[in-house]
Amino acid sequence: MSDVQDLMSLPDDKIDMIAATSVLQQQAGDIRQNKPNWAPYVQSQMISQEDYNCVSALDKDKKSQAQYLHENPGQCAKTFLNLLSHVSKDQTIQYILVMIDDLLQEDRTRVQIFHEYAIKRKESVWAPFLNLLNRQDGFIVNMASRVVGKLACWGQELMPKSDLHFYLQWLKDQLTVANNEYIQSVGRCLQMMLRVDEYRFAFVTVDGISTLISILSSRVNFQVQYQLVFCLWVLTFNPLLAEKMNKFNVIPILADILSDSAKEKVTRIILAVFRNMIEKPEDAQVAKEHCIAMVQCKVMKQLQILEQRRFDDEDISADLEFLIEKLQSSVQDLSSFDEYATEVKSARLEWSPVHKSAKFWRENAQRLNEKNYELLRILVHLLETSKDALVLSVASYDIGEYVRHYPRGKHVIEQLGGKQLVMQLLGHDDPNVRYEALLAVQKLMVHNWEYLGKQLEKESEKGAQSGAAISGKA
């Protein structure tokens, strides 16, 4: 599925097959069975006779409802919006929202009934529903959110910026609510919203991608995993976002999920994200970096394991073939510096061969100054923030080697704040970290490596001569 139009026209049941069994849908099924008695509302003048007639006509069998809706579209929108603003009882609001959601679900074009009514009246179609997001009742809040998503995605009118920002911020915050029983419904709304290109950058501005990655890096059930990775997938249909995606550490996190995943739908959607991250960027260098990052995160090994399995889904087979070919060709073109740079950017340092290669440091130490010391800044940042003893050990070693092989290295590291951080690691709990930090500090303290080398040679020669003299006297 490579085309955004295919994406937009994808039926809902294809997007989220488990939607019908979500908590929200189960509760909606119960609410449909409890029809309100509308008569007291008109008798107490809470609603008008006109609204009473309309809601009574709509609250009948599907055929009668469709006919009335077709003949009185403006009145239906007016009645629903009036009811939402005049009725306060939770149970009745729940029922009204289910009615609206069902009407829209049956026919997407019905969202225009609401949009056209609001435009005619110069009113906001969004406000009545967004206001409901402040209610205490979980069902009302999440069903209102679902209706907002449909109005935003299925109509011809895009959501205004301020309302969009509020709504996306609300969705993002709901993802982080502990033990949120409606998390699948929240994910479902995001799956809809992010299929619209105009809404994608707004989601990035509310720090949405970081939130998705943070949740995916914790333990969540496979359905939520699938939904959130789906959100990443639709974001990568935008070439600019596909280029920026790995700045959020997407590849390492998805590589981990891929190696643990037992569910085919999760595997399929991760492979689709990886494919987009190679296929969609317009900058070929970025696509290459993504390939190298995948190799670094052991994706190739996982692809080869998956290749041995039989999948009914043709998309999986096609994506596997594409990814294996691209990753293999990237490995053939891979220089040792490319490999090193990708490892540093992934923040997953390990004792890969380049670190201990004197030839690598002789040839490449100066290249760590490129792009305003980008790689050095990452190494220093890791010294400051990482809790992983292996990462701290390797980062300390690399800083020492940089200083050793680049004449102005000591000054650069001091300017970046690296010297102080390495010295702090001398008191680290892990003996390996202490050892590598000590070596790095020694390298930082020495001013002239060539001079030191000669001095060490002289010392060893003196030692050998004195040893010979002593043995002669004996």
Side-chain angles (χ1 to χ4, degrees):
M1 197 177 307
S2 57
D3 191 78
V4 180
Q5 290 310 116
D6 291 347
L7 192 63
M8 290 303 299
S9 61
L10 217 56
D12 281 356
D13 58 347
K14 296 289 184 200
I15 297 295
D16 188 0
M17 316 228 332
I18 211 161
T21 58
S22 73
V23 173
L24 193 75
Q25 291 299 332
Q26 288 170 4
Q27 291 175 343
D30 295 336
I31 289 163
R32 283 186 198 97
Q33 307 307 314
N34 294 305
K35 285 190 179 189
N37 179 3
W38 300 108
Y41 287 101
V42 72
Q43 287 160 7
S44 61
Q45 298 184 327
M46 281 180 71
I47 64 173
S48 68
Q49 185 67 44
E50 187 180 47
D51 288 336
Y52 171 77
N53 294 341
C54 178
V55 75
S56 301
L58 288 170
D59 203 6
K60 289 182 179 174
D61 62 275
K62 298 286 181 198
K63 192 176 177 184
S64 307
Q65 183 190 74
Q67 188 177 343
Y68 185 86
L69 198 59
H70 179 69
E71 291 167 1
N72 307 278
Q75 181 60 50
C76 294
K78 179 184 177 182
T79 294
F80 278 129
L81 296 175
N82 282 345
L83 290 173
L84 288 177
S85 60
H86 291 106
V87 174
S88 57
K89 190 178 177 186
D90 278 358
Q91 278 176 297
T92 312
I93 294 283
Q94 288 173 352
Y95 190 85
I96 295 164
L97 288 171
V98 170
M99 280 181 79
I100 296 170
D101 186 65
D102 286 348
L103 288 173
L104 300 182
Q105 192 68 37
E106 282 162 29
D107 182 353
R108 292 182 178 205
T109 63
R110 289 173 178 168
V111 296
Q112 284 306 118
I113 294 171
F114 290 89
H115 284 300
E116 285 165 13
Y117 173 78
I119 290 166
K120 210 173 192 177
R121 296 287 296 265
K122 296 185 178 169
E123 292 176 2
S124 165
V125 74
W126 313 100
F129 297 101
L130 292 174
N131 288 340
L132 292 173
L133 300 184
N134 299 314
R135 299 279 286 238
Q136 296 300 307
D137 181 85
F139 180 87
I140 289 176
V141 162
N142 284 280
M143 188 53 85
S145 167
R146 184 176 158 96
V147 171
V148 169
K150 288 173 179 176
L151 290 172
C153 298
W154 295 351
Q156 293 159 18
E157 287 74 24
L158 289 171
M159 203 170 184
K161 277 188 182 175
S162 58
D163 289 335
L164 177 63
H165 186 276
F166 174 82
Y167 179 52
L168 290 175
Q169 182 71 46
W170 183 85
L171 286 173
K172 188 202 85 164
D173 292 344
Q174 291 302 302
L175 285 176
T176 60
V177 172
N179 303 317
N180 184 353
E181 64 175 332
Y182 295 101
I183 191 166
Q184 285 182 29
S185 302
V186 175
R188 181 71 196 85
C189 291
L190 275 175
Q191 283 176 274
M192 276 198 296
M193 292 295 289
L194 297 178
R195 279 187 272 172
V196 180
D197 196 49
E198 288 83 357
Y199 299 155
R200 291 173 183 153
F201 284 100
F203 184 64
V204 177
T205 61
V206 299
D207 207 24
I209 297 177
S210 299
T211 304
L212 295 179
I213 294 302
S214 170
I215 296 164
L216 283 167
S217 62
S218 61
R219 289 191 174 274
V220 288
N221 69 54
F222 80 89
Q223 175 59 22
V224 175
Q225 259 182 358
Y226 169 78
Q227 289 181 282
L228 300 190
V229 177
F230 183 100
C231 290
L232 293 175
W233 177 56
V234 289
L235 286 167
T236 58
F237 277 90
N238 181 291
L240 200 57
L241 291 179
E243 286 181 14
K244 304 286 183 199
M245 196 59 76
N246 205 38
K247 295 199 185 313
F248 298 93
N249 239 18
V250 167
I251 290 171
I253 298 297
L254 294 192
D256 287 347
I257 296 172
L258 185 65
S259 64
D260 294 338
S261 173
K263 295 291 180 182
E264 188 172 304
K265 63 191 273 183
V266 176
T267 298
R268 182 183 74 235
I269 203 74
I270 291 174
L271 295 180
V273 174
F274 284 163
R275 179 168 187 157
N276 273 5
M277 288 181 73
I278 296 170
E279 220 171 22
K280 299 299 176 187
E282 288 166 3
D283 185 337
Q285 182 57 34
V286 172
K288 183 185 175 187
E289 285 174 11
H290 287 170
C291 286
I292 298 164
M294 289 176 204
V295 172
Q296 201 82 48
C297 294
K298 315 288 189 289
V299 171
M300 190 66 178
K301 181 183 172 187
Q302 201 55 39
L303 296 176
Q304 287 163 343
I305 293 168
L306 290 170
E307 199 181 22
Q308 304 307 312
R309 283 168 52 186
R310 283 196 172 185
F311 293 102
D312 296 331
D313 191 324
E314 288 178 12
D315 283 348
I316 294 184
S317 304
D319 287 349
L320 275 172
E321 191 179 327
F322 173 88
L323 289 167
I324 289 169
E325 183 195 333
K326 291 291 181 186
L327 266 54
Q328 280 176 341
S329 63
S330 75
V331 170
Q332 287 162 6
D333 299 338
L334 192 60
S335 71
S336 57
F337 185 75
D338 288 334
E339 189 180 340
Y340 175 76
T342 309
E343 185 182 330
V344 171
K345 288 175 186 175
S346 78
R348 297 185 168 204
L349 300 182
E350 52 186 59
W351 290 116
S352 52
V354 287
H355 298 280
K356 295 288 181 132
S357 164
K359 179 175 182 285
F360 170 79
W361 288 107
R362 271 198 312 275
E363 293 173 357
N364 295 293
Q366 192 163 343
R367 292 197 65 186
L368 270 67
N369 301 338
E370 292 174 4
K371 297 183 182 175
N372 193 24
Y373 308 104
E374 180 187 24
L375 296 179
L376 286 173
R377 289 178 192 278
I378 295 171
L379 288 172
V380 169
H381 180 69
L382 289 173
L383 289 180
E384 188 175 10
T385 59
S386 180
K387 302 283 186 278
D388 187 321
L390 177 59
V391 170
L392 292 172
S393 299
V394 178
S396 299
Y397 179 83
D398 286 2
I399 281 172
E401 287 299 277
Y402 167 75
V403 168
R404 183 179 166 190
H405 289 89
Y406 178 61
R408 290 189 58 253
K410 179 172 176 284
H411 174 71
V412 172
I413 293 299
E414 282 186 14
Q415 291 294 107
L416 295 175
K419 182 178 176 182
Q420 189 63 34
L421 292 167
V422 171
M423 292 182 81
Q424 285 173 9
L425 292 177
L426 294 172
H428 196 274
D429 293 341
D430 188 282
N432 293 320
V433 175
R434 290 199 301 273
Y435 174 72
E436 296 300 343
L438 180 61
L439 287 183
V441 168
Q442 288 171 344
K443 292 170 190 174
L444 280 160
M445 295 302 183
V446 172
H447 289 273
N448 189 325
W449 272 98
E450 199 175 334
Y451 171 78
L452 178 68
K454 286 176 181 172
Q455 288 299 105
L456 289 172
E457 282 174 22
K458 283 180 186 174
E459 290 297 323
S460 62
E461 281 171 16
K462 278 183 190 173
Q465 286 167 2
S466 67
I470 291 166
S471 64
K473 284 177 185 174

